[in-house]
């Protein structure tokens, strides 16, 4: 055969040279594989033509390293392929490189990037015109608020994992309740003035530190907040009120209690 366009399964049958295909030879053939292949599949099929033909791939699933090898192989073409980029992508430069291998779409499976670079990729124009986050599982590497998180979540149908999030108690609840957004291991910054009840609720949303900037509550409840301070090192589970401004809602009847409260923060106690 001079030219053949078939699925990888049917190409394997032809390459066996037995049974109904005993007289079929793929040596020297220009082969197009009609379904999705992996790097291993591509190497197997490429061997069918014996080095004197070519292999054209329409769709391939592989990590960046394997795609580079396919791109550099002189008898294999992925120049028009749809690429399903597997593996964990941690910078947009990798995507730019892979986009240079094909005029087809590059579909990203998993990516960790900051919100600015994610926005650039999601724009689907210019450099990233053929990049797709439509089914990607995304981890945002820098801090986002609720509005930014919701915008990133709209990039596709995959999950969004936040490493750091800030917002009011209501906004953090919305993020916690969103089925496609995870703050379960996020550093959380709770904005606004909050009481012990709000802090305790937000503290259940994540296994990491919740940082509080302003508290208004009675002395006993302020102590409850302090008593759940992180003890496992930076970022560990608990509430950090070490720089919070505190407004005490009840009367201070002895200076010792006030002195104790003052040790909870470097902020003001009113």
């Amino acid at each position: 055969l001079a030219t053949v366009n078939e699925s990888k399964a049917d190409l394997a049958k032809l390459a066996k040279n037995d049974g109904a295909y005993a007289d079929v030879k793929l040596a020297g053939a220009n082969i197009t594989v009609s379904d999705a292949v992996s790097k291993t599949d591509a190497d197997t099929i490429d061997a069918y033509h014996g080095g004197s033909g070519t292999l054209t791939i329409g769709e391939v699933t592989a990590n960046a390293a394997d795609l580079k090898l396919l791109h550099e192989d002189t008898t294999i073409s992925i120049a028009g392929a749809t690429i399903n980029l597997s593996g964990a992508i941690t910078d947009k430069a990798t995507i730019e490189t892979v986009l240079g291998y094909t005029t087809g779409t590059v579909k990203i499976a998993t990516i960790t990037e900051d919100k600015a670079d994610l926005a650039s990729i999601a724009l689907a124009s210019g450099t990233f015109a053929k990049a797709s986050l439509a089914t990607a599982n995304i981890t945002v590497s820098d801090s986002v608020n609720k509005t930014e998180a919701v915008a990133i979540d709209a990039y596709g149908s995959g999950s969004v994992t936040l490493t750091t999030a800030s917002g009011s108690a209501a906004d953090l609840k919305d993020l916690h309740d969103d089925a496609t957004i995870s703050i379960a291991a996020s550093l959380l910054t709770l904005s606004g003035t909050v009481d012990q009840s709000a802090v305790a609720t937000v503290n259940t949303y994540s296994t990491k530190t919740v940082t509080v900037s302003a508290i208004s509550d009675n002395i006993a409840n302020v102590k409850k907040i302090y008593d759940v301070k992180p003890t496992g090192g930076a970022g560990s589970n608990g509430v950090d009120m070490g720089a919070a401004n505190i407004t005490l809602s009840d009367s201070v009847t002895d200076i010792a209690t006030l002195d104790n409260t003052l040790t909870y923060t470097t902020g003001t106690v009113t």
Side-chain angles (χ1 to χ4, degrees), residues 4-264:
V4 60
N5 185 333
E6 266 294 357
S7 68
K8 59 189 176 186
D10 284 346
L11 287 168
K13 292 176 184 177
L14 295 176
K16 281 185 176 181
N17 302 129
D18 62 11
Y21 305 106
D23 294 326
V24 175
K25 306 297 181 186
L26 292 178
N30 294 320
I31 301 170
T32 298
V33 58
S34 60
D35 52 354
V37 295
S38 66
K39 166 70 163 54
T40 300
D41 294 330
D43 288 340
T44 299
I45 297 167
D46 192 44
Y48 295 163
H49 61 66
S52 57
T54 61
L55 171 61
T56 301
I57 296 171
E59 183 173 355
V60 58
T61 300
N63 60 36
D66 282 348
L67 289 167
K68 182 176 186 293
L69 294 174
L70 291 174
H71 171 67
E72 293 174 347
D73 193 307
T74 57
T75 61
I76 297 176
S77 174
I78 58 171
T82 295
I83 294 177
N84 302 306
L85 180 54
S86 62
I89 305 304
T90 57
D91 65 272
K92 68 175 183 178
T94 300
I95 298 170
E96 289 184 62
T97 298
V98 173
L99 284 165
Y101 300 160
T102 182
T103 57
T105 300
V106 175
K107 300 177 182 180
I108 299 147
T110 306
I111 183 169
T112 299
E113 257 292 7
D114 63 46
K115 58 192 174 187
D117 283 348
L118 288 168
S120 296
I121 296 165
L123 196 58
S125 65
T127 301
F128 299 101
K130 289 290 187 175
S132 173
L133 294 174
T135 58
N137 293 319
I138 298 170
T139 297
V140 188
S141 60
D142 56 350
S143 182
V144 295
N145 58 34
K146 177 190 168 183
T147 300
E148 292 166 333
V150 169
I152 293 167
D153 193 39
Y155 294 161
S157 60
S159 62
V160 174
T161 300
L162 306 182
T163 57
T164 309
S166 62
S168 65
D171 283 350
L172 292 175
K173 181 181 186 301
D174 287 343
L175 292 176
H176 170 69
D177 291 345
D178 193 305
T180 58
I181 296 176
S182 174
I183 59 171
S186 300
L187 296 170
L188 302 179
T189 298
L190 182 51
S191 62
T193 301
V194 293
D195 59 14
Q196 187 271 334
S197 176
V199 174
T201 298
V202 171
N203 194 37
T204 66
Y205 298 160
S206 175
T207 58
K208 298 290 187 179
T209 302
V210 176
T211 301
V212 182
S213 58
I215 300 167
S216 179
D217 213 328
N218 60 49
I219 293 172
N221 282 341
V222 170
K223 184 177 185 301
K224 288 180 181 178
I225 298 172
Y226 176 75
D227 285 344
V228 292
K229 60 185 178 294
T231 58
S236 62
N237 194 18
V239 177
D240 179 5
M241 55 172 286
N245 295 320
I246 301 171
T247 300
L248 298 176
S249 60
D250 54 351
S251 298
V252 178
T253 56
D254 67 277
I255 195 167
T257 300
L258 178 59
D259 286 343
N260 193 46
T261 304
L262 285 167
T263 67
Y264 299 163

